[in-house]
Amino acid sequence: MRIFQNIAYTRFPVTTIIMVSGFMLGHAGSTVGQDVNDFIAIDGPSIALTNVKVIDGTGSPAREGQTILIENGRIAAVGSSEEIAGIVQNARVLDLQGHTVIPGLIGLHDHSFYTGGNGRAAQLSFSGSRLYLASGVTTIRTTGARAPYEELNLKRDIDAGLKIGPNMFTTGPYLTGEQGATQMMHLDGPESARRVVRYWAEEGVSWFKAYTWISREDLAAAIDEAHKHGIKVTAHLCSVGYREAVAAGIDNVEHGLLANSEYHPGKQPDECPAGFRNAYRDLDMNSEEVQATFRDMVENDVAMTSTLAVYEISVPGRGPIDERVYDILAPEIAEEVRAIADVRRNATLEAGIAIHPDVYQKALEYEYAFVQAGGTLAAGVDPTGYGAAPPGFGDQKNYELLLEAGFTPPEVVQIMTANGAKVLGIDDETGTIEVGKVADLVVLEGDPEHDGHIQETRIVFKGGVGWDSPKLIESVRGIVGIR
């Protein structure tokens, strides 16, 4: 890769650790194992990224010919390469002509586990965390845990420099009703909700996720108890509508339109109507019922998480799954995922296994209209379903899908970075490329405004340490989905 040519890579061990809002922002220390250090492309007290295009995450237009100076893990200066040439003389300089720098992605629905193929499920504490970071995702919220202790331990090891991965906000077990999946907590009343929340809050999780069949009463109890412990709650809803969840005090909702059943004409309290999405083919985003939802969310500062990547893979008539997805999956899983993808994307709508293209288009319109109404939209991949939206790669796919929804490239970057940081309460430290913030940055080869994607990650800076993205991807090739 040409950005690494003619650069001396002397290691500069840095032991400073910065604690921010319950998560670790820091350098790889001198105690990390050699296998971890091998994936660091560049480190040091002063690094200058010169001659780059910058999309800074604020929503402002991109700027050409910029230099970003990193000092001791933070952004010390940003400006035209000519203006700040004098202050980078003592820095290690990377001439990145032909590259773009964006803030590190904030994945707001980025599980530490993966589901795929024919009922497979695996905790990806090795390959998943590496793939997130390699794809430019520097912070994740797991948004529902199958193995909460494994997540807490993974976070601890990443923070200590023993494993490679993004900063993590961990979640407790899914909170649902009697019809939930076997790996979830089946609540049987408000006191059970409070008991579970108390326990996991004391164990150290920072969020909870409610799931499809939770009741209004149990959801309200879980939210109330979580807030008493300084913990927040999000949800993949259905039995409870968005306006009902807002009234209960929820902090965030997941999946946009495709998890909100409140517009279904047959909706009954605490019931999840089967096939409710099919009624949304003609939903009017300017209707009073939709705008009322948006008003409630905006007035109560409730954000929405977009997860278009995990839905788009089941829409007939869409393009084929990117071949690089199959390349990183374990071969037997790749074979199963390819077969399912072929069926889903070529399915007749009568088969009932696909998302109607008209409904998917309404999902795009819903998210755009929410932002136009003043709402905060963030994004995540949700690496579940049948497995064609894996960690990191699915986050990158969201960039393309949000462009399709009508957002400009700077707006999409803002959604995927600054807005996620805002939801997590860390926007004073990360999420944008501004002086004083932690140097969580993604170096992309090419121009995402012209290319229409953010796939070409080359270096991913987390806390000022530059990780070799292609090398990390290569280290997990063929094992994603099983390890």
Side-chain angles (χ1 to χ4, degrees):
M1 296 180 299
R2 61 177 182 268
I3 60 176
F4 294 140
Q5 293 175 356
N6 302 319
I7 301 174
Y9 285 103
T10 305
R11 298 286 182 230
F12 293 85
V14 180
T15 56
T16 303
I17 300 294
I18 306 166
M19 292 295 296
V20 180
S21 301
F23 78 125
M24 193 80 72
L25 295 168
H27 291 279
S30 57
T31 60
V32 296
Q34 184 61 43
D35 59 328
V36 172
N37 274 328
D38 282 348
F39 294 94
I40 297 175
I42 186 166
D43 191 7
S46 186
I47 302 168
L49 315 179
T50 67
N51 300 319
V52 296
K53 180 173 184 174
V54 171
I55 305 176
D56 66 12
T58 67
S60 300
R63 304 190 303 274
E64 303 273 4
Q66 300 289 293
T67 288
I68 302 171
L69 178 63
I70 302 169
E71 290 188 343
N72 298 318
R74 289 185 178 262
I75 300 169
V78 184
S80 73
S81 297
E82 293 181 356
E83 290 175 350
I84 64 175
I87 66 172
V88 302
Q89 293 178 354
N90 296 322
R92 300 182 65 199
V93 177
L94 278 69
D95 187 348
L96 297 172
Q97 184 72 40
H99 293 76
T100 301
V101 178
I102 64 174
L105 305 181
I106 311 289
L108 270 205
H109 199 121
D110 287 18
H111 295 298
S112 66
F113 66 87
Y114 165 90
T115 64
N118 295 313
R120 294 180 181 269
Q123 194 71 22
L124 299 187
S125 294
F126 180 82
S127 64
S129 62
R130 290 187 174 205
L131 195 53
Y132 279 127
L133 188 63
S135 302
V137 185
T138 53
T139 300
I140 66 171
R141 183 189 65 192
T142 58
T143 316
R146 292 174 66 98
Y149 281 122
E150 188 155 358
E151 285 194 358
L152 288 167
N153 291 331
L154 175 61
K155 170 183 165 53
R156 179 200 62 198
D157 288 346
I158 291 173
D159 289 349
L162 301 174
K163 290 185 179 179
I164 298 170
N167 298 305
M168 291 181 64
F169 284 74
T170 60
T171 44
Y174 289 77
L175 305 176
T176 190
E178 295 181 359
Q179 299 186 47
T182 56
Q183 74 272 14
M184 300 179 183
M185 174 60 194
H186 294 195
L187 303 175
D188 58 9
E191 184 49 42
S192 69
R194 291 182 182 276
R195 183 185 70 250
V196 173
V197 168
R198 283 195 301 270
Y199 176 83
W200 285 105
E202 292 179 0
E203 288 299 279
V205 304
S206 50
W207 280 76
F208 286 92
K209 178 184 177 182
Y211 201 64
T212 309
W213 280 98
I214 195 168
S215 69
R216 291 166 297 168
E217 186 179 31
D218 290 357
L219 177 62
I223 293 169
D224 180 65
E225 192 67 31
H227 287 176
K228 288 179 180 178
H229 292 269
I231 306 299
K232 293 186 176 182
V233 179
T234 190
H236 174 168
L237 294 170
C238 182
S239 55
V240 178
Y242 282 9
R243 297 187 71 188
E244 293 173 328
V246 171
I250 203 161
D251 302 287
N252 189 189
V253 293
E254 306 297 306
H255 306 303
L257 176 64
L258 299 182
N260 188 4
S261 63
E262 67 188 9
Y263 311 125
H264 187 271
K267 175 73 172 72
Q268 297 297 315
D270 295 334
E271 291 292 329
C272 178
F276 72 88
R277 299 170 186 164
N278 293 328
Y280 292 170
R281 292 173 60 180
D282 298 314
L283 186 66
D284 181 2
M285 300 306 147
N286 293 315
S287 66
E288 174 56 26
E289 57 181 352
V290 170
Q291 290 298 314
T293 303
F294 294 165
R295 283 196 300 272
D296 282 2
M297 292 178 68
V298 172
E299 290 171 3
N300 291 276
D301 198 25
V302 177
M304 183 188 298
T305 305
S306 172
T307 60
L308 293 172
V310 78
Y311 289 113
E312 190 261 352
I313 58 177
S314 293
V315 180
R318 303 287 294 185
I321 303 298
D322 192 327
E323 282 297 317
R324 68 192 189 120
V325 169
Y326 301 124
D327 289 343
I328 62 160
L329 293 176
E332 65 272 29
I333 297 178
E335 182 178 354
E336 293 175 358
V337 170
R338 189 185 294 273
I340 297 171
D342 289 344
V343 171
R344 291 283 182 97
R345 295 203 156 210
N346 294 296
T348 61
L349 297 173
E350 292 75 18
I353 61 173
I355 297 173
H356 196 290
D358 292 347
V359 174
Y360 178 72
Q361 181 60 39
K362 290 297 178 181
L364 298 179
E365 294 176 14
Y366 193 78
E367 294 182 7
Y368 186 83
F370 175 63
V371 174
Q372 296 305 112
T376 298
L377 183 69
V381 52
D382 194 6
T384 55
Y386 67 85
F393 284 11
D395 293 272
Q396 293 177 344
K397 181 65 175 180
N398 281 333
Y399 177 87
E400 302 167 41
L401 301 177
L402 287 165
L403 289 177
E404 186 179 339
F407 297 105
T408 66
E411 289 172 336
V412 175
V413 172
Q414 181 179 27
I415 290 166
M416 298 179 69
T417 60
N419 288 2
K422 178 182 177 182
V423 174
L424 295 177
I426 55 174
D427 50 315
D428 59 339
E429 286 289 325
T430 191
T432 57
I433 302 176
E434 297 179 278
V435 172
K437 291 198 173 182
V438 172
D440 291 343
L441 307 167
V442 184
V443 178
L444 302 164
E445 186 169 356
D447 181 353
E449 290 193 298
H450 177 267
D451 302 335
H453 63 77
I454 55 171
Q455 295 180 7
E456 304 297 334
T457 49
R458 293 296 175 253
I459 308 176
V460 178
F461 285 90
K462 177 191 166 194
V465 174
W467 295 87
D468 186 329
S469 174
K471 193 171 183 179
L472 282 172
I473 292 173
E474 193 59 35
S475 75
V476 300
R477 190 178 305 279
I479 63 171
V480 175
I482 59 173
R483 183 182 175 195

